[in-house]
Every structure is written in structure tokens, then in C-alpha cells.
Amino acid sequence: MSPLNLIGIAVGLLAVLALCFGASDGWFFGLLCLACLAGSMGEAYRENKPGAVAFLAVAALFAVLSVRAAYLDSRRGST
């Protein structure tokens, strides 16, 4: 397993642990976005273009969800 995939798994586990300990949804989705970007870099390094594009698409989804969660938190007055 490549180091980039191990970094992606570690960041994904960190996101789940952060959510268990009360992190906001924005942080959770942001960390998942980072994990998907690391997975995409690993797939691109192995020249697996469909896998890299799939990881990038999921990362874009998590990025939008992260921004949405941060916006909704700011509207509610939560930090």
C-alpha cells in the first residue's frame, strides 16, 4: 500500500474520531475531503485515471458539504 493511501486512511480515521469527540460537521467533511484528495493523489501516482477522477469527484462533494456546514454554523452563531 502506498504512503499516500496510508495518509488517506489515517486522515479518514481522524475525521471519524473527531466526530465522535464532538467536532463540527464542517471539520468532519473537511477532513474527509482531505482523505479523498490523498487517495486521488495515490491513484494518480499509480496512473489509475478513473480511480483518481472518482476520488476527486467525492472530494469535491465533501468540500461543498464542508462549506455548507460551516455556513450553517455561522448563521446559527456557533463556532
Side-chain angles (χ1 to χ4, degrees):
M1 187 173 277
S2 75
L4 289 172
N5 288 345
L6 290 175
I7 290 170
I9 290 171
V11 171
L13 288 174
L14 178 67
V16 171
L17 286 175
L19 188 64
C20 290
F21 287 107
S24 67
D25 289 343
W27 276 100
F28 176 69
F29 289 128
L31 287 172
L32 285 182
C33 175
L34 185 62
C36 288
L37 287 175
S40 175
M41 288 185 292
E43 292 298 316
Y45 179 74
R46 290 188 301 191
E47 296 182 3
N48 182 9
K49 288 183 182 180
V53 170
F55 271 118
L56 282 176
V58 173
L61 173 71
F62 284 137
V64 169
L65 289 174
S66 176
V67 170
R68 180 182 179 271
Y71 175 73
L72 290 178
D73 282 347
S74 71
R75 296 276 300 193
R76 281 184 264 174
S78 174
T79 56

Coordinates of all heavy atoms in Angstrom, one line a residue:
M1 N 0.9 -1.2 0.0 CA 0.0 0.0 0.0 C 0.9 1.2 0.0 O 1.9 1.3 0.8 CB -0.9 0.0 1.2 CG -1.9 1.1 1.2 SD -3.1 0.9 2.6 CE -4.2 -0.3 1.8
S2 N 0.6 2.2 -0.8 CA 1.4 3.4 -1.0 C 1.2 4.3 0.3 O 0.2 4.3 0.9 CB 1.0 4.1 -2.2 OG -0.2 4.8 -2.1
P3 N 2.3 5.1 0.5 CA 2.2 6.0 1.7 C 1.0 7.0 1.5 O 0.4 7.4 2.5 CB 3.5 6.8 1.6 CG 4.4 5.9 0.9 CD 3.6 5.1 -0.1
L4 N 0.7 7.4 0.3 CA -0.5 8.3 0.1 C -1.8 7.7 0.6 O -2.6 8.3 1.2 CB -0.5 8.8 -1.3 CG 0.6 9.8 -1.7 CD1 0.5 10.0 -3.2 CD2 0.4 11.1 -1.0
N5 N -1.9 6.4 0.3 CA -3.2 5.7 0.7 C -3.2 5.6 2.2 O -4.3 5.7 2.8 CB -3.3 4.4 0.0 CG -3.6 4.5 -1.4 OD1 -4.1 5.5 -1.9 ND2 -3.4 3.4 -2.2
L6 N -2.0 5.3 2.8 CA -2.0 5.2 4.3 C -2.3 6.6 4.9 O -3.0 6.6 5.9 CB -0.6 4.8 4.7 CG -0.3 3.3 4.4 CD1 1.2 3.0 4.8 CD2 -1.2 2.4 5.1
I7 N -1.9 7.7 4.3 CA -2.2 9.0 4.8 C -3.7 9.3 4.7 O -4.3 9.8 5.6 CB -1.4 10.1 4.1 CG1 0.1 10.0 4.4 CG2 -1.9 11.5 4.3 CD1 1.0 10.8 3.6
G8 N -4.3 8.8 3.6 CA -5.7 9.0 3.4 C -6.5 8.2 4.4 O -7.5 8.7 5.0
I9 N -6.1 7.0 4.7 CA -6.8 6.2 5.7 C -6.6 6.8 7.1 O -7.6 6.9 7.9 CB -6.2 4.8 5.7 CG1 -6.7 4.1 4.4 CG2 -6.7 4.0 6.9 CD1 -6.0 2.7 4.2
A10 N -5.4 7.3 7.4 CA -5.2 8.0 8.7 C -6.1 9.2 8.9 O -6.6 9.4 9.9 CB -3.7 8.3 8.9
V11 N -6.2 10.0 7.8 CA -7.0 11.2 7.9 C -8.5 10.9 8.0 O -9.2 11.5 8.8 CB -6.7 12.2 6.7 CG1 -7.7 13.3 6.7 CG2 -5.3 12.7 6.8
G12 N -8.9 9.8 7.3 CA -10.3 9.4 7.4 C -10.6 8.9 8.9 O -11.7 9.2 9.4
L13 N -9.7 8.2 9.5 CA -9.9 7.7 10.8 C -9.9 8.9 11.8 O -10.7 8.9 12.8 CB -8.8 6.7 11.2 CG -9.0 5.3 10.6 CD1 -7.8 4.5 11.0 CD2 -10.2 4.7 11.0
L14 N -9.0 9.9 11.5 CA -9.0 11.1 12.4 C -10.4 11.8 12.3 O -10.9 12.3 13.3 CB -7.9 12.0 11.9 CG -7.7 13.3 12.7 CD1 -7.4 13.1 14.1 CD2 -6.7 14.2 12.0
A15 N -10.9 11.8 11.1 CA -12.2 12.5 10.9 C -13.3 11.8 11.7 O -14.1 12.5 12.4 CB -12.6 12.5 9.4
V16 N -13.3 10.5 11.7 CA -14.3 9.8 12.5 C -14.1 10.0 14.0 O -15.1 10.2 14.7 CB -14.3 8.3 12.1 CG1 -15.2 7.4 13.0 CG2 -14.7 8.1 10.6
L17 N -12.9 9.9 14.4 CA -12.6 10.1 15.8 C -13.0 11.6 16.2 O -13.5 11.8 17.3 CB -11.1 9.9 16.1 CG -10.7 8.4 16.1 CD1 -9.2 8.3 16.3 CD2 -11.4 7.7 17.2
A18 N -12.7 12.5 15.4 CA -13.0 13.9 15.7 C -14.6 14.1 15.8 O -15.0 14.8 16.7 CB -12.5 14.9 14.6
L19 N -15.3 13.4 14.9 CA -16.7 13.5 15.0 C -17.3 12.8 16.3 O -18.2 13.3 16.9 CB -17.4 12.8 13.8 CG -18.9 13.0 13.6 CD1 -19.2 14.5 13.4 CD2 -19.4 12.2 12.5
C20 N -16.6 11.7 16.7 CA -17.0 11.1 18.0 C -16.8 12.0 19.2 O -17.5 11.9 20.2 CB -16.3 9.8 18.1 SG -16.8 8.5 17.0
F21 N -15.8 12.8 19.1 CA -15.5 13.7 20.2 C -16.1 15.1 20.1 O -15.6 16.0 20.8 CB -13.9 13.8 20.4 CG -13.4 12.5 21.0 CD1 -12.6 11.7 20.2 CD2 -13.6 12.2 22.3 CE1 -12.1 10.5 20.7 CE2 -13.1 11.0 22.9 CZ -12.3 10.2 22.1
G22 N -17.0 15.3 19.2 CA -17.8 16.5 19.2 C -17.3 17.5 18.2 O -17.7 18.7 18.3
A23 N -16.5 17.2 17.2 CA -16.1 18.2 16.2 C -17.4 18.5 15.4 O -18.3 17.8 15.2 CB -15.0 17.6 15.3
S24 N -17.3 19.7 14.8 CA -18.5 20.2 14.0 C -18.5 19.4 12.7 O -17.5 18.8 12.3 CB -18.4 21.7 13.7 OG -17.3 22.0 12.9
D25 N -19.6 19.5 12.0 CA -19.8 18.8 10.7 C -18.8 19.4 9.7 O -18.3 18.7 8.8 CB -21.2 19.0 10.2 CG -22.2 18.1 11.0 OD1 -21.7 17.2 11.7 OD2 -23.4 18.4 10.9
G26 N -18.5 20.7 9.7 CA -17.6 21.3 8.8 C -16.2 20.7 8.9 O -15.6 20.4 7.9
W27 N -15.7 20.4 10.1 CA -14.4 19.8 10.3 C -14.5 18.4 9.8 O -13.5 17.9 9.1 CB -14.0 19.8 11.8 CG -13.4 21.0 12.2 CD1 -14.0 22.1 12.8 CD2 -12.0 21.4 11.9 NE1 -13.1 23.1 13.0 CE2 -11.9 22.7 12.5 CE3 -11.0 20.8 11.3 CZ2 -10.7 23.4 12.4 CZ3 -9.8 21.5 11.3 CH2 -9.6 22.8 11.8
F28 N -15.6 17.6 10.0 CA -15.7 16.3 9.6 C -15.6 16.2 8.1 O -14.8 15.4 7.5 CB -17.0 15.7 10.1 CG -17.3 14.3 9.7 CD1 -16.5 13.2 10.1 CD2 -18.3 14.0 8.8 CE1 -16.8 11.9 9.7 CE2 -18.6 12.7 8.4 CZ -17.8 11.7 8.8
F29 N -16.4 16.9 7.4 CA -16.4 16.9 5.9 C -15.1 17.4 5.4 O -14.7 16.9 4.3 CB -17.6 17.6 5.4 CG -18.9 17.0 5.6 CD1 -20.0 17.7 6.2 CD2 -19.1 15.6 5.3 CE1 -21.2 17.0 6.5 CE2 -20.3 15.0 5.5 CZ -21.4 15.7 6.1
G30 N -14.5 18.4 6.0 CA -13.2 18.9 5.5 C -12.1 17.8 5.6 O -11.3 17.7 4.7
L31 N -12.1 17.1 6.7 CA -11.1 16.0 6.8 C -11.4 14.9 5.9 O -10.4 14.3 5.3 CB -11.1 15.5 8.3 CG -10.4 16.5 9.3 CD1 -10.6 15.9 10.7 CD2 -9.0 16.6 9.0
L32 N -12.6 14.6 5.6 CA -12.9 13.6 4.6 C -12.5 14.0 3.2 O -12.1 13.2 2.4 CB -14.4 13.2 4.7 CG -14.9 12.3 5.8 CD1 -16.4 12.0 5.7 CD2 -14.1 11.1 5.9
C33 N -12.7 15.3 2.9 CA -12.2 15.8 1.7 C -10.7 15.7 1.5 O -10.2 15.3 0.5 CB -12.6 17.3 1.6 SG -12.0 18.1 0.1
L34 N -10.0 16.0 2.6 CA -8.6 15.8 2.6 C -8.2 14.3 2.4 O -7.2 14.0 1.6 CB -8.0 16.3 3.9 CG -6.5 16.4 4.0 CD1 -5.9 17.3 2.9 CD2 -6.1 16.8 5.4
A35 N -8.9 13.4 3.0 CA -8.6 12.0 2.8 C -8.8 11.6 1.4 O -8.1 10.8 0.8 CB -9.5 11.2 3.8
C36 N -9.9 12.1 0.8 CA -10.2 11.7 -0.6 C -9.1 12.3 -1.6 O -8.8 11.7 -2.6 CB -11.6 12.2 -1.0 SG -12.9 11.2 -0.3
L37 N -8.6 13.5 -1.2 CA -7.6 14.1 -2.1 C -6.3 13.3 -2.0 O -5.6 13.1 -3.0 CB -7.3 15.6 -1.6 CG -8.4 16.6 -2.0 CD1 -8.1 17.9 -1.5 CD2 -8.5 16.6 -3.5
A38 N -6.0 12.8 -0.8 CA -4.8 11.9 -0.7 C -5.0 10.6 -1.4 O -4.1 10.1 -2.1 CB -4.5 11.6 0.8
G39 N -6.2 10.1 -1.4 CA -6.5 8.9 -2.2 C -6.4 9.1 -3.7 O -5.9 8.3 -4.5
S40 N -6.8 10.3 -4.1 CA -6.7 10.7 -5.5 C -5.3 10.8 -6.0 O -4.9 10.4 -7.1 CB -7.5 12.0 -5.7 OG -7.3 12.4 -7.1
M41 N -4.4 11.4 -5.1 CA -3.0 11.5 -5.4 C -2.4 10.1 -5.5 O -1.6 9.9 -6.4 CB -2.3 12.4 -4.4 CG -2.6 13.8 -4.5 SD -1.6 14.8 -3.3 CE -2.2 14.3 -1.8
G42 N -2.8 9.2 -4.7 CA -2.2 7.9 -4.7 C -2.7 7.2 -6.0 O -1.9 6.5 -6.6
E43 N -3.9 7.3 -6.4 CA -4.4 6.7 -7.6 C -3.7 7.3 -8.9 O -3.4 6.6 -9.8 CB -5.9 6.8 -7.7 CG -6.6 6.0 -6.7 CD -6.4 4.5 -6.9 OE1 -6.4 4.0 -8.0 OE2 -6.2 3.9 -5.8
A44 N -3.5 8.6 -8.8 CA -2.9 9.3 -10.0 C -1.4 8.9 -10.1 O -0.9 8.7 -11.2 CB -3.0 10.8 -9.8
Y45 N -0.8 8.7 -8.9 CA 0.6 8.2 -9.0 C 0.7 6.8 -9.6 O 1.7 6.5 -10.3 CB 1.2 8.2 -7.5 CG 2.6 7.8 -7.5 CD1 3.6 8.6 -7.9 CD2 2.9 6.5 -7.0 CE1 5.0 8.2 -7.8 CE2 4.2 6.1 -6.9 CZ 5.2 6.9 -7.3 OH 6.5 6.5 -7.3
R46 N -0.3 6.0 -9.3 CA -0.3 4.6 -9.9 C -0.9 4.6 -11.3 O -1.1 3.6 -11.9 CB -1.0 3.7 -9.0 CG -0.3 3.4 -7.8 CD -1.0 2.3 -7.0 NE -2.3 2.7 -6.7 CZ -3.1 2.1 -5.8 NH1 -2.7 1.0 -5.2 NH2 -4.3 2.5 -5.6
E47 N -1.2 5.8 -11.8 CA -1.7 6.0 -13.2 C -3.0 5.3 -13.4 O -3.3 4.8 -14.5 CB -0.7 5.6 -14.2 CG 0.6 6.5 -14.2 CD 1.6 6.1 -15.3 OE1 1.3 5.2 -16.1 OE2 2.6 6.7 -15.3
N48 N -3.9 5.4 -12.4 CA -5.2 4.8 -12.5 C -6.2 6.0 -12.6 O -6.7 6.5 -11.6 CB -5.6 4.0 -11.2 CG -6.9 3.4 -11.3 OD1 -7.6 3.5 -12.3 ND2 -7.4 2.8 -10.2
K49 N -6.4 6.5 -13.8 CA -7.1 7.7 -14.0 C -8.6 7.6 -13.6 O -9.1 8.6 -13.0 CB -7.0 8.1 -15.5 CG -5.7 8.7 -15.9 CD -5.6 9.2 -17.3 CE -4.2 9.6 -17.6 NZ -4.1 10.1 -19.0
P50 N -9.3 6.6 -13.9 CA -10.7 6.5 -13.4 C -10.8 6.6 -11.9 O -11.7 7.2 -11.3 CB -11.2 5.2 -13.9 CG -10.4 4.9 -15.1 CD -9.0 5.4 -14.8
G51 N -9.9 5.9 -11.2 CA -9.9 6.0 -9.7 C -9.6 7.3 -9.2 O -10.2 7.8 -8.2
A52 N -8.6 8.0 -9.8 CA -8.3 9.4 -9.4 C -9.4 10.3 -9.6 O -9.7 11.2 -8.8 CB -7.0 9.8 -10.2
V53 N -10.1 10.2 -10.8 CA -11.2 11.1 -11.0 C -12.4 10.8 -10.1 O -13.0 11.8 -9.6 CB -11.7 10.9 -12.5 CG1 -13.0 11.6 -12.8 CG2 -10.6 11.4 -13.5
A54 N -12.6 9.6 -9.7 CA -13.6 9.2 -8.8 C -13.3 9.8 -7.4 O -14.2 10.4 -6.7 CB -13.8 7.7 -8.7
F55 N -12.1 9.7 -6.9 CA -11.7 10.3 -5.7 C -11.9 11.8 -5.7 O -12.3 12.4 -4.7 CB -10.3 9.9 -5.3 CG -10.2 8.6 -4.5 CD1 -9.5 7.6 -5.0 CD2 -10.8 8.5 -3.3 CE1 -9.4 6.4 -4.3 CE2 -10.7 7.3 -2.5 CZ -10.0 6.3 -3.0
L56 N -11.5 12.4 -6.8 CA -11.6 13.9 -6.9 C -13.1 14.3 -6.9 O -13.4 15.4 -6.3 CB -11.0 14.4 -8.2 CG -9.5 14.5 -8.2 CD1 -8.9 14.9 -9.5 CD2 -9.0 15.5 -7.1
A57 N -14.0 13.5 -7.5 CA -15.4 13.9 -7.5 C -16.0 13.8 -6.1 O -16.7 14.7 -5.7 CB -16.2 12.9 -8.4
V58 N -15.6 12.8 -5.4 CA -16.1 12.6 -4.0 C -15.4 13.7 -3.1 O -16.1 14.3 -2.2 CB -15.7 11.2 -3.4 CG1 -16.1 11.1 -2.0 CG2 -16.5 10.2 -4.2
A59 N -14.2 14.1 -3.3 CA -13.6 15.2 -2.6 C -14.3 16.5 -2.8 O -14.5 17.3 -1.9 CB -12.1 15.3 -3.0
A60 N -14.7 16.7 -4.1 CA -15.5 17.9 -4.4 C -16.8 18.0 -3.6 O -17.2 19.0 -3.1 CB -15.7 18.1 -5.9
L61 N -17.4 16.8 -3.6 CA -18.7 16.7 -2.8 C -18.5 17.0 -1.3 O -19.2 17.8 -0.7 CB -19.3 15.3 -3.0 CG -20.5 15.0 -2.1 CD1 -21.7 15.8 -2.6 CD2 -20.8 13.5 -2.1
F62 N -17.5 16.4 -0.7 CA -17.2 16.7 0.7 C -16.8 18.1 0.9 O -17.1 18.7 2.0 CB -16.1 15.7 1.2 CG -16.6 14.3 1.5 CD1 -15.9 13.3 1.1 CD2 -17.8 14.1 2.1 CE1 -16.3 12.0 1.4 CE2 -18.3 12.9 2.3 CZ -17.5 11.8 2.0
A63 N -16.1 18.8 -0.1 CA -15.7 20.2 0.1 C -17.0 21.0 0.1 O -17.1 22.0 0.9 CB -14.8 20.6 -1.1
V64 N -17.9 20.8 -0.8 CA -19.2 21.5 -0.8 C -19.9 21.3 0.5 O -20.5 22.3 1.1 CB -20.0 21.1 -2.0 CG1 -21.4 21.7 -1.9 CG2 -19.3 21.6 -3.3
L65 N -20.0 20.1 1.0 CA -20.7 19.8 2.3 C -20.0 20.5 3.4 O -20.7 21.0 4.4 CB -20.8 18.3 2.5 CG -21.7 17.6 1.6 CD1 -21.6 16.1 1.8 CD2 -23.1 18.0 1.8
S66 N -18.7 20.6 3.4 CA -17.9 21.3 4.5 C -18.2 22.8 4.5 O -18.5 23.4 5.5 CB -16.4 21.0 4.3 OG -15.7 21.8 5.2
V67 N -18.2 23.4 3.3 CA -18.5 24.8 3.2 C -20.0 25.1 3.7 O -20.3 26.0 4.4 CB -18.3 25.3 1.8 CG1 -18.8 26.7 1.6 CG2 -16.8 25.3 1.5
R68 N -20.9 24.2 3.2 CA -22.3 24.4 3.6 C -22.5 24.3 5.1 O -23.2 25.0 5.8 CB -23.1 23.3 2.9 CG -24.6 23.4 3.3 CD -25.4 22.3 2.6 NE -26.8 22.4 3.0 CZ -27.3 21.8 4.0 NH1 -26.6 21.1 4.8 NH2 -28.6 21.9 4.3
A69 N -21.8 23.3 5.8 CA -21.9 23.1 7.2 C -21.3 24.3 7.9 O -21.8 24.8 8.9 CB -21.2 21.8 7.6
A70 N -20.2 24.8 7.4 CA -19.6 26.0 8.1 C -20.5 27.2 7.9 O -20.6 28.0 8.9 CB -18.2 26.3 7.5
Y71 N -21.1 27.4 6.8 CA -22.0 28.5 6.6 C -23.2 28.4 7.5 O -23.6 29.3 8.1 CB -22.5 28.5 5.1 CG -23.5 29.6 4.9 CD1 -23.2 30.9 4.8 CD2 -24.9 29.2 4.7 CE1 -24.2 31.9 4.6 CE2 -25.8 30.1 4.4 CZ -25.5 31.5 4.4 OH -26.4 32.4 4.2
L72 N -23.8 27.2 7.6 CA -24.9 27.0 8.5 C -24.6 27.2 10.0 O -25.4 27.8 10.7 CB -25.6 25.6 8.3 CG -26.3 25.4 7.0 CD1 -26.8 24.0 6.9 CD2 -27.4 26.4 6.8
D73 N -23.4 26.8 10.4 CA -22.9 27.0 11.7 C -22.7 28.5 12.0 O -23.1 29.0 13.1 CB -21.6 26.3 12.0 CG -21.8 24.9 12.2 OD1 -22.9 24.4 12.5 OD2 -20.8 24.1 12.2
S74 N -22.2 29.3 11.0 CA -22.1 30.7 11.2 C -23.4 31.4 11.3 O -23.6 32.4 12.0 CB -21.2 31.3 10.1 OG -21.9 31.3 8.9
R75 N -24.4 30.9 10.5 CA -25.8 31.5 10.6 C -26.4 31.3 12.0 O -27.2 32.1 12.4 CB -26.6 30.9 9.5 CG -26.2 31.2 8.1 CD -26.7 32.5 7.6 NE -28.2 32.5 7.7 CZ -28.9 33.4 7.2 NH1 -28.4 34.4 6.5 NH2 -30.2 33.3 7.3
R76 N -26.1 30.1 12.6 CA -26.7 29.8 13.9 C -25.9 30.5 15.0 O -26.3 30.5 16.2 CB -26.7 28.3 14.1 CG -27.8 27.6 13.4 CD -27.8 26.2 13.8 NE -27.0 25.5 12.7 CZ -26.7 24.3 12.7 NH1 -26.9 23.5 13.7 NH2 -26.0 23.8 11.7
G77 N -24.7 31.0 14.7 CA -23.9 31.7 15.7 C -23.0 30.7 16.4 O -22.3 31.1 17.4
S78 N -22.9 29.5 16.0 CA -22.0 28.5 16.5 C -20.6 28.7 15.9 O -20.4 29.0 14.8 CB -22.5 27.1 16.3 OG -21.6 26.2 16.7
T79 N -19.5 28.4 16.7 CA -18.2 28.5 16.2 C -17.5 27.1 16.1 O -17.9 26.2 16.8 CB -17.3 29.4 17.0 OG1 -17.3 28.9 18.3 CG2 -17.8 30.8 16.9

